[in-house]
Amino acid sequence: MSHIGYFAWNLATERSDAPCLRDDRLELTYRQFADRVDAFAAQLSEIGVGRGDVVAIMLPNRAELLIALMAAWRIGAAVTPVNPTFTASEADYQIDDATAVLVVNEGPDAPTGGRPAIAVDDMATIPDPAWEPGITAGGDDLALLIYTSGSTGRPKGVMLTHDNLQFMSVSMVQHFSLTADDHCLLILPLFHVNAICVSFLAPILAGGQLSVTGRFSPARFFGDVARLRPTYFSAVPTIYALLVSQDTVGDTSSLRFAVCGAAPISKELLDRAEQRFGLVIVEGYGLTEGTCASACNPPAGVRKPGTVGPALPGQTIAIVDESGTPVPAGTVGEVVIRGANVMRGYLGRPEETERTVVDGWLHTGDVGRLDEDGYLTLVDRIKDMIIRGGENIYPKEIENALATHDDVLESAVIGAPHDVYGEVPVAYVVTYPDTTVTHDVLAEHLTSRLTKVKLPVAIHIVDALPRNPVGKIDKPGLRSRHRPAAVS
């Protein structure tokens, strides 16, 4: 059985009274964290949750989310983190698809998918000294089911094992030279694997600590940095854009470096942020299917602005042509990745798994090129995914929701440039003849079907959608309407 270095019950022996985890309500040492994990693990075990089960956790960022996560692992169960802002239909779909046996949430009004639930305030906090876990999770066991949308618009569960997470966490510790002196300020949502790996597992594996902040705001961020003295944080370009726009900046001298991922950041914004805060910001790249990160510029060493850096330790990145054949350095093609970080597969979707992971290579659907030093530059996306402030939005999901309105004949959703969020969704809709539906009516129709970040900022009702020569909707043509050069 593989050694998993981030398990709380093992770290408590090594780190004991060292600070581990805090949020606005709690401050826990490694021993106290492990005790809270054991208390909730016993509670889960008593109601029949065990190895091979899936627990859904639908909570905002707070210490109890990480306690519940680790408690499920304590008894060999897996976890699917659910976006706490999801509508009932979105949450119910994930809970049902993951076959979760239980939901941990904020209370009786939260979605449960018809499953039993434990409210966060009802989580046990005091361990029973007589309780012993039967079987804890091993390296081959499923650890996380992280849901990500695809070209069909139906979210699918990415199966990540503890071996995947251990490999990634060790890689993060090595790449960022993390030690017990490091302290991560966690500001990204914990329903993403980025926050789980970079901001939680990596620092505790190194013996460091993390502080979980509440809802992000620039004022809160600078106050937390000055008060808590973290050494690093991970964020998305939107957050950096908001931070550099502030008139006053607090004391950021404790920060050793910061990470930027989830969406491309402009060189101009990167330079402004580094100069404003006096720290190194490293840009990285990865997918949920690759357990978070596959390339990253080093905090110490050669950084190449405009690239997302070289492959992380233990991973190989290649560029291939349409036939899957590797191409020389400097040639544009599809980015493929190989390593112990590659997912087990998509839950219940073997055909999609086979299309995505071919002979051990993860096909990303992204277009890029490698230079002679192995630094990766992303050129474009094969897929039509929109990245709004670091959140992945898949047009097909919005198009499917629009299609549920009786007056909608067809639609196309594209990403339009935005100064703060990077991209925002914009919809073009063709209605059935002799209908009088308005964009306001369609916007209202989407409100109960989609999370707020997925709602189009504009809905244009048009007579027809542009088509390419083979009859497919010309989304590149629609996107070109929103480029600055196309604005008269």
Side-chain angles (χ1 to χ4, degrees), residues 172-186:
M172 295 287 101
V173 171
Q174 292 175 352
H175 188 71
F176 298 133
S177 302
L178 300 181
T179 71
D181 293 328
D182 278 298
H183 175 185
C184 181
L185 185 66
L186 192 159

Side-chain angles (χ1 to χ4, degrees), residues 290-342:
T291 320
C292 175
S294 290
C296 189
N297 276 288
V302 177
R303 288 189 297 143
K304 296 187 180 183
T307 79
V308 290
L312 287 167
Q315 298 189 50
T316 304
I317 295 176
I319 306 297
V320 299
D321 61 19
E322 294 85 349
S323 64
T325 303
V327 297
T331 306
V332 171
E334 184 182 8
V335 181
V336 294
I337 298 162
R338 184 171 63 186
N341 59 304
V342 174

Side-chain angles (χ1 to χ4, degrees), residues 266-304:
S266 69
K267 183 179 182 301
E268 292 77 15
L269 176 55
L270 195 64
D271 289 343
R272 284 202 303 272
E274 286 195 334
Q275 292 169 12
R276 192 83 190 275
F277 310 131
L279 76 159
V280 172
I281 301 174
V282 293
E283 187 178 3
Y285 162 76
L287 292 81
T288 302
E289 290 87 342
T291 320
C292 175
S294 290
C296 189
N297 276 288
V302 177
R303 288 189 297 143
K304 296 187 180 183

Side-chain angles (χ1 to χ4, degrees), residues 85-412:
T85 69
F86 267 0
T87 64
S89 62
E90 290 170 316
D92 289 350
Y93 169 81
Q94 180 175 333
I95 293 165
D96 184 63
D97 189 76
T99 63
V101 298
L102 177 83
V103 182
V104 180
N105 60 26
E106 291 192 280
D109 296 329
T112 64
R115 267 66 170 182
I118 295 177
V120 65
D121 291 338
D122 295 328
M123 290 173 61
T125 60
I126 301 173
D128 179 355
W131 179 78
E132 289 287 343
I135 300 174
T136 59
D140 292 336
D141 288 332
L142 182 66
L144 290 173
L145 271 174
I146 305 289
Y147 273 73
T148 180
S149 295
S151 58
T152 63
R154 290 179 65 81
K156 50 188 180 290
V158 175
M159 297 186 288
L160 301 176
T161 67
H162 284 288
D163 280 340
N164 289 144
L165 297 181
Q166 172 72 10
F167 175 83
M168 182 56 58
S169 303
V170 169
S171 180
M172 295 287 101
V173 171
Q174 292 175 352
H175 188 71
F176 298 133
S177 302
L178 300 181
T179 71
D181 293 328
D182 278 298
H183 175 185
C184 181
L185 185 66
L186 192 159
I187 57 179
L188 293 180
L190 279 164
F191 55 85
H192 284 319
V193 73
N194 181 308
I196 293 173
C197 284
V198 178
S199 301
F200 172 46
L201 297 182
I204 68 167
L205 185 65
Q209 57 182 303
L210 70 150
S211 294
V212 180
T213 67
R215 188 176 180 85
F216 173 81
S217 73
R220 161 144 199 178
F221 173 84
F222 289 119
D224 284 342
V225 169
R227 177 173 57 90
L228 299 169
R229 309 291 293 166
T231 60
Y232 80 99
F233 67 95
S234 180
V236 297
T238 298
I239 288 177
Y240 290 106
L242 291 170
L243 293 178
V244 299
S245 67
Q246 302 305 300
D247 292 332
T248 57
V249 174
D251 180 5
T252 59
S253 61
S254 67
L255 292 168
R256 182 163 67 86
F257 70 96
V259 183
C260 183
I265 186 170
S266 69
K267 183 179 182 301
E268 292 77 15
L269 176 55
L270 195 64
D271 289 343
R272 284 202 303 272
E274 286 195 334
Q275 292 169 12
R276 192 83 190 275
F277 310 131
L279 76 159
V280 172
I281 301 174
V282 293
E283 187 178 3
Y285 162 76
L287 292 81
T288 302
E289 290 87 342
T291 320
C292 175
S294 290
C296 189
N297 276 288
V302 177
R303 288 189 297 143
K304 296 187 180 183
T307 79
V308 290
L312 287 167
Q315 298 189 50
T316 304
I317 295 176
I319 306 297
V320 299
D321 61 19
E322 294 85 349
S323 64
T325 303
V327 297
T331 306
V332 171
E334 184 182 8
V335 181
V336 294
I337 298 162
R338 184 171 63 186
N341 59 304
V342 174
M343 66 173 178
R344 176 186 290 177
Y346 296 118
L347 178 68
R349 291 169 170 81
E351 292 181 357
E352 287 191 58
T353 300
E354 289 175 10
R355 286 195 298 269
T356 305
V357 182
V358 182
D359 296 327
W361 288 95
L362 173 63
H363 285 248
T364 67
D366 290 318
V367 179
R369 65 176 179 270
L370 290 169
D371 67 15
E372 296 290 347
D373 299 319
Y375 282 63
L376 175 64
T377 298
L378 297 174
V379 176
D380 204 343
R381 291 192 298 274
I382 295 173
K383 301 169 185 176
D384 290 324
M385 183 177 71
I386 300 164
I387 304 178
R388 180 192 187 275
E391 289 287 334
N392 294 347
I393 300 172
Y394 290 84
K396 192 67 177 177
E397 190 175 1
I398 304 173
E399 291 161 359
N400 287 346
L402 282 165
T404 63
H405 193 283
D406 291 339
D407 292 340
V408 173
L409 174 61
E410 63 177 350
S411 66

